[in-house]
Coordinates of all heavy atoms in Angstrom, one line a residue:
K1259 N 107.2 68.5 116.4 CA 106.9 68.4 115.0 C 106.9 67.0 114.6 O 106.0 66.5 113.9 CB 107.9 69.2 114.2 CG 107.7 69.2 112.7 CD 108.6 70.1 111.9 CE 108.4 70.2 110.5 NZ 108.6 68.9 109.8
Q1260 N 107.8 66.2 115.1 CA 107.9 64.8 114.7 C 106.7 64.0 115.4 O 106.1 63.1 114.7 CB 109.2 64.1 115.3 CG 110.4 64.6 114.6 CD 111.7 64.1 115.3 OE1 111.7 63.0 115.8 NE2 112.7 64.9 115.4
A1261 N 106.3 64.5 116.6 CA 105.1 63.8 117.2 C 103.8 64.1 116.4 O 103.0 63.2 116.3 CB 105.0 64.4 118.7
R1262 N 103.7 65.3 115.9 CA 102.5 65.6 115.2 C 102.5 64.9 113.8 O 101.5 64.4 113.3 CB 102.4 67.1 114.9 CG 102.0 67.9 116.2 CD 101.7 69.3 115.9 NE 102.9 70.1 115.6 CZ 103.6 70.7 116.4 NH1 103.3 70.7 117.7 NH2 104.7 71.4 116.0
E1263 N 103.7 64.7 113.2 CA 103.8 64.0 112.0 C 103.4 62.5 112.2 O 102.7 61.9 111.4 CB 105.2 64.1 111.4 CG 105.5 65.5 110.8 CD 106.9 65.7 110.5 OE1 107.8 64.8 110.9 OE2 107.3 66.7 109.8
A1264 N 103.9 61.9 113.3 CA 103.6 60.5 113.6 C 102.1 60.4 113.9 O 101.5 59.4 113.5 CB 104.4 60.1 114.9
W1265 N 101.5 61.4 114.5 CA 100.1 61.4 114.8 C 99.3 61.4 113.5 O 98.4 60.6 113.3 CB 99.7 62.7 115.6 CG 98.2 62.7 115.9 CD1 97.2 63.2 115.1 CD2 97.6 62.3 117.1 NE1 96.0 63.1 115.8 CE2 96.2 62.6 117.0 CE3 98.1 61.8 118.3 CZ2 95.3 62.3 118.0 CZ3 97.2 61.5 119.4 CH2 95.8 61.7 119.2
D1266 N 99.7 62.3 112.6 CA 99.0 62.3 111.3 C 99.1 61.0 110.5 O 98.2 60.6 109.7 CB 99.6 63.4 110.4 CG 99.2 64.8 111.0 OD1 98.3 64.9 111.8 OD2 99.9 65.8 110.6
A1267 N 100.2 60.3 110.7 CA 100.4 59.0 110.1 C 99.8 57.8 110.9 O 99.9 56.7 110.5 CB 101.9 58.7 109.9
E1268 N 99.1 58.2 112.0 CA 98.4 57.2 112.9 C 99.4 56.2 113.5 O 99.1 55.1 113.8 CB 97.3 56.5 112.2 CG 96.2 57.4 111.8 CD 95.0 56.7 111.2 OE1 95.0 55.5 111.1 OE2 94.0 57.4 110.8
D1269 N 100.7 56.7 113.6 CA 101.7 55.9 114.3 C 101.6 56.3 115.8 O 102.4 57.1 116.3 CB 103.1 56.2 113.8 CG 104.2 55.3 114.3 OD1 103.9 54.6 115.3 OD2 105.3 55.3 113.8
W1270 N 100.6 55.8 116.5 CA 100.2 56.2 117.8 C 101.3 56.1 118.8 O 101.5 56.9 119.7 CB 98.9 55.5 118.3 CG 97.8 55.6 117.3 CD1 97.1 54.5 116.8 CD2 97.2 56.8 116.7 NE1 96.2 55.0 115.9 CE2 96.2 56.3 115.8 CE3 97.4 58.1 116.9 CZ2 95.4 57.2 115.1 CZ3 96.7 59.0 116.1 CH2 95.7 58.6 115.3
L1271 N 102.0 54.9 118.8 CA 103.0 54.7 119.8 C 104.2 55.7 119.7 O 104.6 56.3 120.7 CB 103.5 53.2 119.7 CG 104.6 52.9 120.8 CD1 104.0 53.0 122.2 CD2 105.0 51.4 120.6
R1272 N 104.6 55.9 118.5 CA 105.7 56.8 118.3 C 105.3 58.2 118.7 O 106.1 58.9 119.3 CB 106.2 56.8 116.8 CG 107.3 57.8 116.5 CD 107.9 57.6 115.1 NE 108.7 58.7 114.7 CZ 109.9 59.0 115.2 NH1 110.5 58.2 116.2 NH2 110.6 60.1 114.8
S1273 N 104.1 58.6 118.3 CA 103.6 59.9 118.6 C 103.6 60.1 120.1 O 104.1 61.1 120.7 CB 102.2 60.2 118.0 OG 101.8 61.5 118.3
A1274 N 103.0 59.2 120.8 CA 102.9 59.3 122.3 C 104.3 59.4 122.9 O 104.5 60.2 123.9 CB 102.1 58.1 122.8
Q1275 N 105.2 58.5 122.5 CA 106.5 58.5 123.1 C 107.3 59.8 122.8 O 108.0 60.3 123.7 CB 107.3 57.3 122.6 CG 106.8 56.0 123.1 CD 107.5 54.8 122.4 OE1 108.1 54.9 121.4 NE2 107.4 53.6 123.1
L1276 N 107.1 60.4 121.7 CA 107.7 61.7 121.4 C 107.1 62.8 122.3 O 107.9 63.6 122.8 CB 107.6 62.0 119.9 CG 108.4 61.2 118.9 CD1 107.9 61.4 117.5 CD2 109.9 61.5 119.1
Y1277 N 105.8 62.8 122.4 CA 105.2 63.8 123.3 C 105.7 63.6 124.7 O 106.0 64.6 125.4 CB 103.7 63.6 123.3 CG 103.0 64.3 122.2 CD1 102.2 63.7 121.3 CD2 103.1 65.7 122.1 CE1 101.5 64.3 120.3 CE2 102.4 66.4 121.1 CZ 101.7 65.7 120.2 OH 101.0 66.4 119.1
E1278 N 105.9 62.4 125.2 CA 106.4 62.1 126.5 C 107.8 62.6 126.7 O 108.2 63.1 127.8 CB 106.3 60.6 126.8 CG 104.9 60.1 127.1 CD 104.9 58.6 127.6 OE1 105.0 57.8 126.7 OE2 104.9 58.4 128.8
Q1279 N 108.6 62.5 125.6 CA 110.0 63.0 125.7 C 110.0 64.5 126.0 O 110.7 65.0 126.9 CB 110.7 62.8 124.4 CG 111.1 61.4 124.1 CD 111.9 61.2 122.8 OE1 112.5 62.2 122.4 NE2 111.7 60.1 122.2
V1280 N 109.1 65.3 125.3 CA 109.0 66.7 125.6 C 108.4 67.0 127.0 O 108.9 67.9 127.7 CB 108.1 67.4 124.5 CG1 107.9 68.8 124.8 CG2 108.8 67.2 123.1
L1281 N 107.4 66.3 127.3 CA 106.7 66.5 128.6 C 107.6 66.2 129.8 O 107.4 66.8 130.9 CB 105.4 65.7 128.7 CG 104.3 66.2 127.7 CD1 103.2 65.1 127.6 CD2 103.7 67.5 128.3
A1282 N 108.5 65.3 129.6 CA 109.5 65.1 130.7 C 110.3 66.3 131.1 O 110.7 66.4 132.2 CB 110.4 63.9 130.3
H1283 N 110.4 67.2 130.1 CA 111.2 68.4 130.4 C 110.3 69.7 130.5 O 110.7 70.6 131.2 CB 112.2 68.7 129.2 CG 113.2 67.6 129.1 ND1 114.4 67.6 129.8 CD2 113.2 66.4 128.3 CE1 115.1 66.5 129.5 NE2 114.4 65.8 128.6
F1284 N 109.1 69.6 129.9 CA 108.3 70.8 129.9 C 106.8 70.4 130.2 O 105.9 70.5 129.3 CB 108.3 71.5 128.5 CG 109.7 71.9 128.1 CD1 110.4 71.2 127.1 CD2 110.3 73.1 128.6 CE1 111.7 71.6 126.7 CE2 111.6 73.5 128.2 CZ 112.3 72.7 127.3
P1285 N 106.6 69.9 131.4 CA 105.3 69.4 131.8 C 104.2 70.5 131.9 O 103.0 70.2 131.8 CB 105.5 68.7 133.1 CG 106.7 69.4 133.7 CD 107.5 69.8 132.5
D1286 N 104.6 71.7 132.1 CA 103.6 72.8 132.5 C 103.8 74.0 131.6 O 103.4 75.1 132.0 CB 103.8 73.2 134.0 CG 103.4 72.0 134.9 OD1 102.3 71.5 134.7 OD2 104.2 71.7 135.8
E1287 N 104.3 73.8 130.4 CA 104.2 75.0 129.5 C 102.8 75.3 129.1 O 101.9 74.5 129.3 CB 105.0 74.6 128.2 CG 106.5 74.4 128.3 CD 107.2 75.8 128.6 OE1 107.1 76.7 127.8 OE2 107.8 75.9 129.7
E1288 N 102.5 76.5 128.6 CA 101.2 76.9 128.3 C 100.4 75.9 127.4 O 99.2 75.6 127.7 CB 101.2 78.3 127.6 CG 99.7 78.8 127.4 CD 99.8 80.2 126.8 OE1 100.8 80.9 126.9 OE2 98.7 80.7 126.4
P1289 N 101.0 75.3 126.4 CA 100.3 74.3 125.5 C 100.4 72.9 126.0 O 100.0 72.0 125.3 CB 101.0 74.5 124.2 CG 102.4 74.9 124.5 CD 102.3 75.7 125.8
S1290 N 101.0 72.7 127.2 CA 101.3 71.3 127.6 C 100.0 70.5 127.8 O 100.0 69.2 127.7 CB 102.1 71.2 128.9 OG 101.4 71.7 130.0
A1291 N 98.9 71.1 128.2 CA 97.6 70.3 128.4 C 97.3 69.6 127.1 O 96.8 68.4 127.1 CB 96.5 71.3 128.8
A1292 N 97.5 70.2 125.9 CA 97.2 69.6 124.7 C 98.2 68.4 124.4 O 97.8 67.4 123.8 CB 97.2 70.6 123.5
W1293 N 99.4 68.6 124.8 CA 100.4 67.5 124.6 C 100.0 66.3 125.5 O 100.1 65.2 125.0 CB 101.8 68.0 124.9 CG 102.2 69.2 124.2 CD1 101.7 69.7 123.0 CD2 103.3 70.1 124.6 NE1 102.4 70.9 122.7 CE2 103.3 71.2 123.6 CE3 104.2 70.2 125.6 CZ2 104.3 72.2 123.6 CZ3 105.1 71.2 125.7 CH2 105.1 72.2 124.7
W1294 N 99.7 66.6 126.7 CA 99.3 65.5 127.6 C 98.1 64.8 127.0 O 98.0 63.5 127.1 CB 99.0 66.0 129.0 CG 100.1 66.4 129.9 CD1 100.5 67.7 130.3 CD2 101.1 65.5 130.5 NE1 101.6 67.6 131.1 CE2 102.0 66.3 131.2 CE3 101.3 64.1 130.4 CZ2 103.1 65.8 131.9 CZ3 102.3 63.6 131.2 CH2 103.2 64.4 131.9
Y1295 N 97.1 65.6 126.6 CA 95.9 65.0 126.0 C 96.2 64.1 124.8 O 95.7 63.0 124.7 CB 94.9 66.1 125.6 CG 93.7 65.6 124.9 CD1 92.6 65.1 125.6 CD2 93.6 65.7 123.5 CE1 91.5 64.6 125.0 CE2 92.5 65.2 122.9 CZ 91.4 64.7 123.6 OH 90.3 64.2 123.0
D1296 N 97.0 64.6 123.9 CA 97.2 63.8 122.7 C 98.0 62.6 123.0 O 97.7 61.5 122.4 CB 98.0 64.7 121.7 CG 97.2 65.7 120.9 OD1 96.0 65.6 121.0 OD2 97.8 66.6 120.3
A1297 N 98.9 62.6 123.9 CA 99.7 61.4 124.3 C 98.7 60.4 125.0 O 98.8 59.2 124.6 CB 100.8 61.8 125.3
A1298 N 97.9 60.9 125.9 CA 96.9 60.0 126.5 C 95.9 59.4 125.5 O 95.6 58.2 125.5 CB 96.1 60.7 127.6
L1299 N 95.5 60.2 124.5 CA 94.6 59.7 123.5 C 95.2 58.7 122.6 O 94.6 57.7 122.2 CB 94.0 60.9 122.7 CG 93.0 60.6 121.6 CD1 91.8 59.9 122.3 CD2 92.6 61.9 120.9
A1300 N 96.5 58.9 122.3 CA 97.2 57.9 121.5 C 97.3 56.6 122.2 O 97.1 55.5 121.6 CB 98.6 58.4 121.2
Y1301 N 97.5 56.6 123.5 CA 97.5 55.3 124.3 C 96.1 54.7 124.3 O 96.0 53.5 124.4 CB 98.1 55.5 125.6 CG 99.6 55.6 125.6 CD1 100.3 56.7 126.0 CD2 100.4 54.5 125.2 CE1 101.7 56.8 126.0 CE2 101.7 54.5 125.2 CZ 102.4 55.7 125.6 OH 103.8 55.7 125.6
K1302 N 95.1 55.6 124.3 CA 93.7 55.0 124.3 C 93.5 54.3 122.9 O 92.9 53.2 122.9 CB 92.7 56.2 124.4 CG 91.3 55.7 124.2 CD 90.3 56.9 124.1 CE 88.9 56.4 123.8 NZ 88.0 57.5 123.5
F1303 N 94.0 54.9 121.8 CA 93.8 54.2 120.5 C 94.6 52.9 120.5 O 94.2 51.9 119.9 CB 94.4 55.1 119.4 CG 93.6 56.4 119.2 CD1 94.2 57.5 118.6 CD2 92.2 56.4 119.4 CE1 93.5 58.6 118.4 CE2 91.5 57.6 119.2 CZ 92.1 58.7 118.7
L1304 N 95.7 52.8 121.3 CA 96.5 51.6 121.4 C 95.9 50.6 122.4 O 96.4 49.5 122.5 CB 97.9 51.9 121.8 CG 98.7 52.7 120.8 CD1 100.0 53.2 121.4 CD2 99.1 51.8 119.6
R1305 N 94.8 51.0 123.1 CA 94.2 50.2 124.1 C 95.2 49.9 125.2 O 95.1 48.8 125.9 CB 93.6 48.9 123.6 CG 92.6 49.1 122.4 CD 91.4 49.9 122.9 NE 90.3 49.9 122.0 CZ 90.0 50.9 121.2 NH1 90.7 52.0 121.3 NH2 89.0 50.8 120.4

Side-chain angles (χ1 to χ4, degrees):
K1259 181 175 182 294
Q1260 295 172 37
R1262 287 189 290 269
E1263 289 171 347
W1265 180 279
D1266 291 340
E1268 298 186 359
D1269 187 348
W1270 308 124
L1271 182 58
R1272 175 169 169 75
S1273 181
Q1275 290 175 338
L1276 288 167
Y1277 276 121
E1278 285 186 280
Q1279 287 181 30
V1280 175
L1281 289 164
H1283 296 274
F1284 303 102
D1286 293 310
E1287 291 291 301
E1288 185 176 346
S1290 69
W1293 305 339
W1294 286 111
Y1295 174 80
D1296 284 348
L1299 184 58
Y1301 281 118
K1302 177 190 172 188
F1303 292 154
L1304 291 166
R1305 303 299 190 256

